[in-house]
Amino acid sequence: MAEARQAVAFQFTITSNGIFIDFNQVGINNAIQTVLHAIRLKWRNFRNSLHKSVFPNSAKSYLIIAMVLVLLRYLQFGPVKYLFQLEAYIPTQDPRITIATHVVILATVLWITLAYFKRYMLKVLLMYKGWIFESGGKISLQTKIWYGLINMLKWKGKLQLLSYQSSLPRLPVPSLESTTKRYLQSVRPLVNDEKYDRMAKLANEFQNGIGCKLQRYLVLYSWWASNYVSSWWENYVYLRSRESLLINSNYYMIDGATEETVTNRQAARAASITRSVIQYRQMIDDESLEPLILRDSIPMCCKQHLRQMNTARLPGKEFDKIAHYSSSISRHIAVLHKGRYYKLDLYRGPRWLKLVDLEKQFQRIIDDEEEPLPSELHLAALTAVDRTRWATIREEYFSNGINKQSLDVIEKSAFVLVLDDTEQFYQENDPSKFNSFCKACLCGNGYNRWFDKSMTAIIYANGRFGANLEHTFADAPIFGHLLEYLMTNDASPGRFKPDGHCDGESSVDNIGRPTRLKWDIPSKCCEEIEDCAQIAKSAISDLDLYVLDFTEYGKGYMKTCKVSPDGYMQMALQLTYYRLSRQFCLTYESSMTRLYREGRTETVRPVTTLSTEFVHTMCDKKKSSAEKRQALRNACENHAMLAKEAMLGYGIDRHLFCLYVVSKYLKLDSPFLKEVLSEPWRLSTSQTPHRQTKFCKDDDYDACAKKLSAGGGFGPVADDGYGVSYIFTGNRYVVIHITSKKSCRGTGSEKFAKMLRKSLLDMRKIFQDS
């Protein structure tokens, strides 16, 4: 209970001899620093709010308006002179003060009005999306004029993270007719004539029946919701899901696909990663993190950044809740090492701990020889089972007393850091080591990852780094930005000494040791924990993960083929799946909608009539290379169009999902929606974007690409399907993460990887033959 007592600034006891007050200096200092940190955050928030309220105006524009008003005041120019008749109502006798006060009031009103007008005009201009369909230097006059107007209104100085947030347009609701038409086009290659006719009939009945009513309600909802998809998507797809987060929701990211790491000292790497994460969090709090701007003019929504740290998903019996804490509360991280949990404070007074001090703290945890309690060792397995069971156990055994205090430390931490006692490697000639590395990041052993936290950073015994990430809070590209920042900082000069320790000298003689968290777990709860550990172990043993490090060529070569690299990869995946199963399947590819306010994702359906035509052409030995090239280009061009339409909110699946939610609210049954949403995604795919930020300034893109990150992956969506995530590391490499389930005899991740490699080589050959 020592850490609980330290949280209390003073205690008093009433006895027969009087009142005795016991002051706790540590508790008082902690309370003061927490209050000061909260005040600083509130001041920054207030300052940022002022900036956003007048964005995109500048202080210079205010001075210009004031000077013009003063000039007009003395010239008595035109109708403007009537504005200055309000001076009679200013209660002062000094004419200079009267004029100055009146000019300040008028300038402020005009300045704020101008800011609102500019933001509204910017929002109107950003509704235009014609630019996305123009490339290759062929830009229409309309788009050129649009670019000119955007550049006139955009901020010329340093942008804040959320500067453009209020200027982003709302996600549009597609028409019911277009969505049903697109849906039927997407399933045509997947079903026979009989089933297609049946689906066409259901779609027609829906479109001309209850679909019209559902659409009207959805359009009305979209008028007042910031984003008509995101809140429902978060609530119903994530928070109401009762499946375990292990494999089903969480995903992983890893550091570079290189045999060398920046340091092989675990404590030093943990210190470097921790310091960088807290610096990144500081930039988010200050809103000094530069937002992502496409083509130097088109802003993207950055709201997902706000919940990357200080966030936990709390289990509920029917639905989970998101708990996001202020950085003034999350001044620590939770550290897990060999089944023991620690609270590590990141600040000493108002300042961050230095790198060398953080390394010292982590080394103390590593050197601690105290054994974990039997119940403590497998404690994190509770976060790896179905949510209802975890919620029931949490309510019964962790809702009060010392268990609640320790659980609060974990859930209110900035993030969880695991000092893993295993070593993980990347070796180009031994794929098994890379597979082990990636699987350890996604699953661990089932009880050494805290799956409820937005981020669990994992530092292995030999200094390798990975992260386990919860999908509810943010999508992979958002954490990809953080990962680029971490890797760039790690590689910066002066970060580590030649011996691998953190550079610098400690300025503090005595730092309080990390606090070991205590638990009081009864035998009945211990049995529950052990059972959860076995369930997690069983799920992990069923996961089949294989990583294909494809080094023969990359997106640089694909671009020379005059096709989209993403479309090229998607066609390779379709060819691979067909060669293995002799059929096509419903395929999911994730696309972002962050061009709109609070946008998250939309689905691209890569299986089309043109994609199946390409696959059949590739499998036909009678077809020439020229015919195969043309079929590939046609399929890729069509895929690129579908991807762009999805980015603009004109996909199929989010619209149909929201119509289904409305139907449930209205208690209306739709056979069409029920069937559409029950279709399994046997091939779920995603591309991890690379080098979207400006953190890495290395001119040699290919030299630094593999050092930044080798991407990450996720579990299969269907029991008889695959989860495939790929990342173009530079122009010459592609790293492809493939998952499936061993319990399904028809799938196999290594088998898929080998066939995918063959497909990619065969696709290159049709261009080499020319």
Side-chain angles (χ1 to χ4, degrees):
M1 293 293 289
E3 68 282 352
R5 285 195 293 271
Q6 285 183 5
V8 181
F10 68 91
Q11 299 174 343
F12 66 90
T13 306
I14 302 175
T15 68
S16 57
N17 295 323
I19 299 175
F20 293 89
I21 299 176
D22 178 22
F23 288 94
N24 185 323
Q25 192 61 42
V26 175
I28 292 173
N29 288 338
N30 287 340
I32 292 173
Q33 293 305 326
T34 299
V35 170
L36 291 177
H37 195 169
I39 292 172
R40 285 193 292 270
L41 281 176
K42 287 186 180 298
W43 163 247
R44 285 197 296 264
N45 291 339
F46 174 72
R47 183 189 62 198
N48 291 336
S49 296
L50 284 179
H51 170 81
K52 285 179 287 191
S53 67
V54 297
F55 180 86
N57 280 348
S58 63
K60 183 180 178 181
S61 64
Y62 181 87
L63 292 175
I64 292 173
I65 291 172
M67 290 170 63
V68 169
L69 285 174
V70 170
L71 181 62
L72 293 175
R73 165 69 175 76
Y74 285 103
L75 292 178
Q76 293 291 307
F77 179 75
V80 179
K81 62 185 179 182
Y82 296 108
L83 289 175
F84 293 94
Q85 292 179 0
L86 297 174
E87 291 176 3
Y89 298 97
I90 296 177
T92 177
Q93 300 299 319
D94 191 331
R96 289 174 298 180
I97 296 177
T98 300
I99 294 171
T101 304
H102 195 231
V103 166
V104 167
I105 293 172
L106 280 178
T108 302
V109 171
L110 289 173
W111 193 50
I112 294 174
T113 302
L114 181 62
Y116 276 92
F117 175 75
K118 282 184 175 181
R119 286 205 299 272
Y120 179 77
M121 291 304 298
L122 196 57
K123 180 182 287 189
V124 171
L125 288 170
L126 290 173
M127 290 178 184
Y128 172 72
K129 295 293 188 281
W131 59 270
I132 202 170
F133 300 104
E134 299 175 3
S135 58
K138 299 177 181 178
I139 301 176
S140 67
L141 178 62
Q142 183 181 9
T143 300
K144 289 179 180 178
I145 295 172
W146 175 80
Y147 268 123
L149 292 173
I150 284 284
N151 288 324
M152 284 174 58
L153 292 173
K154 75 177 185 180
W155 179 253
K156 302 299 190 293
K158 182 176 175 56
L159 287 167
Q160 291 188 333
L161 180 65
L162 301 176
S163 291
Y164 280 111
Q165 196 67 14
S166 62
S167 300
L168 293 172
R170 295 184 182 185
L171 185 70
V173 180
S175 71
L176 193 59
E177 182 183 1
S178 69
T179 296
T180 53
K181 180 181 177 182
R182 291 167 193 268
Y183 170 76
L184 291 174
Q185 289 173 343
S186 72
V187 298
R188 187 65 191 95
L190 299 171
V191 297
N192 56 32
D193 292 343
E194 182 182 351
K195 187 170 182 183
Y196 177 78
D197 290 340
R198 178 175 166 274
M199 289 306 300
K201 182 181 177 182
L202 287 174
N204 186 59
E205 290 174 353
F206 174 75
Q207 181 180 326
N208 297 312
I210 66 168
C212 295
K213 182 176 182 178
L214 301 180
Q215 178 77 353
R216 284 196 296 271
Y217 275 93
L218 186 60
V219 170
L220 285 172
Y221 172 68
S222 71
W223 289 350
W224 62 268
S226 298
N227 186 297
Y228 79 94
V229 174
S230 294
S231 60
W232 284 352
W233 187 254
E234 184 176 284
N235 287 330
Y236 294 106
V237 173
Y238 293 117
L239 298 180
R240 285 190 179 270
S241 172
R242 300 293 84 202
E243 288 187 315
S244 67
L245 303 184
L246 170 66
I247 300 173
N248 298 311
S249 178
N250 288 34
Y251 58 97
Y252 69 91
M253 287 186 171
I254 59 172
D255 60 8
T258 56
E259 295 190 10
E260 296 181 358
T261 186
V262 289
T263 177
N264 60 1
R265 297 188 181 275
Q266 187 177 25
R269 190 74 192 277
S272 178
I273 292 295
T274 299
R275 180 62 181 272
S276 295
V277 173
I278 299 306
Q279 287 174 331
Y280 192 84
R281 184 182 73 168
Q282 183 74 52
M283 289 192 291
I284 293 174
D285 288 342
D286 292 344
E287 296 189 28
S288 60
L289 181 66
E290 191 172 339
L292 187 61
I293 307 292
L294 296 182
R295 303 189 183 186
D296 295 325
S297 299
I298 303 125
M300 298 177 69
C301 179
C302 296
K303 190 174 180 181
Q304 290 183 58
H305 287 78
L306 303 180
R307 299 189 300 186
Q308 286 182 269
M309 277 76 74
N310 315 348
T311 312
R313 177 169 163 174
L314 308 183
K317 292 182 179 180
E318 294 183 3
F319 57 89
D320 292 356
K321 295 179 181 179
I322 294 175
H324 178 70
Y325 305 97
S326 166
S327 295
S328 62
I329 295 174
S330 302
R331 291 168 57 86
H332 67 279
I333 63 170
V335 183
L336 171 57
H337 179 243
K338 292 185 176 180
R340 303 162 304 176
Y341 294 83
Y342 299 83
K343 176 184 178 183
L344 195 160
D345 289 317
L346 300 171
Y347 297 82
R348 185 174 179 85
R351 300 183 181 279
W352 298 327
L353 288 180
K354 288 188 173 182
L355 275 173
V356 287
D357 296 327
L358 281 170
E359 181 184 356
K360 182 188 298 185
Q361 295 290 65
F362 284 118
Q363 194 61 50
R364 285 173 169 176
I365 293 173
I366 294 169
D367 295 339
D368 188 353
E369 297 180 356
E370 186 179 356
E371 292 295 321
L373 299 173
S375 56
E376 185 181 20
L377 180 63
H378 295 159
L379 182 64
L382 294 172
T383 67
V385 296
D386 73 88
R387 307 303 290 170
T388 301
R389 182 173 185 179
W390 170 209
T392 303
I393 296 171
R394 188 178 190 274
E395 182 180 329
E396 186 171 354
Y397 300 107
F398 295 88
S399 59
N400 53 59
I402 194 171
N403 288 346
K404 185 180 188 307
Q405 294 171 9
S406 295
L407 186 61
D408 279 350
V409 169
I410 297 173
E411 292 176 342
K412 293 180 180 179
S413 63
F415 62 97
V416 171
L417 186 139
V418 176
L419 294 168
D420 201 298
D421 55 345
T422 65
E423 293 187 347
Q424 300 295 341
F425 301 90
Y426 167 85
Q427 288 185 3
E428 192 170 344
N429 58 355
D430 188 356
S432 65
K433 293 187 181 298
F434 200 21
N435 298 338
S436 171
F437 180 16
C438 293
K439 188 170 182 178
C441 289
L442 179 60
C443 308
N445 55 21
Y447 52 83
N448 62 352
R449 308 284 183 264
W450 198 268
F451 297 105
D452 285 2
K453 281 296 287 184
S454 56
M455 181 175 77
T456 299
I458 308 152
I459 313 296
Y460 294 96
N462 59 334
R464 296 308 299 240
F465 163 70
N468 187 281
L469 306 155
E470 214 289 305
H471 209 163
T472 307
F473 311 109
D475 300 313
I478 306 300
F479 280 106
H481 298 173
L482 170 60
L483 195 64
E484 285 190 19
Y485 182 77
L486 302 183
M487 297 302 99
T488 304
N489 273 7
D490 270 0
S492 60
R495 194 74 169 183
F496 302 100
K497 296 177 182 177
D499 61 1
H501 287 291
C502 291
D503 199 9
E505 298 294 332
S506 176
S507 59
V508 181
D509 295 330
N510 183 25
I511 308 174
R513 298 181 68 87
T515 306
R516 172 79 183 274
L517 302 187
K518 303 297 182 181
W519 308 92
D520 181 16
I521 302 176
S523 58
K524 180 65 175 175
C525 184
C526 290
E527 293 174 8
E528 293 275 13
I529 292 172
E530 293 306 312
D531 188 42
C532 291
Q534 290 303 314
I535 293 172
K537 183 179 178 181
S538 176
I540 294 169
S541 64
D542 189 34
L543 179 69
D544 185 13
L545 188 150
Y546 191 92
V547 184
L548 173 61
D549 187 17
F550 188 76
T551 58
E552 279 78 359
Y553 66 95
K555 72 175 182 181
Y557 178 78
M558 296 174 191
K559 288 179 178 179
T560 65
C561 301
K562 308 298 182 185
V563 296
S564 153
D566 182 65
Y568 190 103
M569 277 301 303
Q570 286 294 328
M571 295 311 112
L573 293 173
Q574 290 302 313
L575 178 60
T576 300
Y577 190 89
Y578 183 81
R579 282 174 165 177
L580 290 173
S581 62
R582 309 312 297 178
Q583 63 180 353
F584 298 100
C585 70
L586 189 62
T587 304
Y588 180 108
E589 184 191 4
S590 178
S591 173
M592 67 88 182
T593 57
R594 286 186 290 131
L595 291 171
Y596 298 98
R597 191 171 185 177
E598 298 181 21
R600 290 198 61 166
T601 60
E602 177 57 276
T603 305
V604 181
R605 295 189 171 209
V607 181
T608 63
T609 304
L610 290 174
S611 74
T612 56
E613 183 180 321
F614 158 71
V615 171
H616 288 310
T617 304
M618 282 294 293
C619 294
D620 189 346
K621 295 181 180 179
K622 297 179 181 180
K623 298 292 185 181
S624 66
S625 293
E627 289 174 302
K628 293 175 181 178
R629 286 196 301 272
Q630 189 58 48
L632 175 58
R633 284 177 174 146
N634 291 341
C636 288
E637 186 177 343
N638 185 52
H639 180 270
M641 181 63 67
L642 292 175
K644 290 173 181 177
E645 289 173 348
M647 285 176 62
L648 302 183
Y650 295 107
I652 300 165
D653 295 277
R654 298 301 181 269
H655 185 202
L656 293 178
F657 162 76
C658 289
L659 290 172
Y660 180 75
V661 173
V662 175
S663 74
K664 287 300 178 182
Y665 273 118
L666 299 178
K667 298 181 180 179
L668 296 173
D669 254 351
S670 169
F672 172 71
L673 290 176
K674 191 175 293 185
E675 185 148 348
V676 169
L677 295 174
S678 64
E679 295 169 343
W681 301 98
R682 290 192 172 88
L683 188 55
S684 182
T685 71
S686 178
Q687 180 190 165
T688 304
H690 203 264
R691 209 181 184 189
Q692 284 197 311
T693 69
K694 298 178 181 178
F695 297 131
C696 179
K697 296 181 173 59
D698 197 323
D699 293 331
D700 189 350
Y701 179 25
D702 290 318
C704 74
K706 274 204 165 188
K707 297 177 183 177
L708 285 179
S709 174
F714 50 88
V717 174
D719 291 340
D720 58 348
Y722 295 95
V724 182
S725 177
Y726 51 94
I727 182 171
F728 296 106
T729 50
N731 288 307
R732 299 198 298 263
Y733 316 106
V734 190
V735 182
I736 306 150
H737 304 253
I738 305 161
T739 59
S740 59
K741 292 194 175 181
K742 296 177 183 177
S743 55
C744 177
R745 295 183 179 181
T747 59
S749 297
E750 184 175 1
K751 175 177 68 174
F752 191 95
K754 289 180 177 178
M755 184 58 75
L756 178 57
R757 185 177 185 278
K758 182 180 185 306
S759 297
L760 288 167
L761 294 177
D762 288 347
M763 289 167 68
R764 181 176 65 173
K765 189 174 185 302
I766 67 175
F767 288 97
Q768 290 177 333
D769 288 346
S770 64

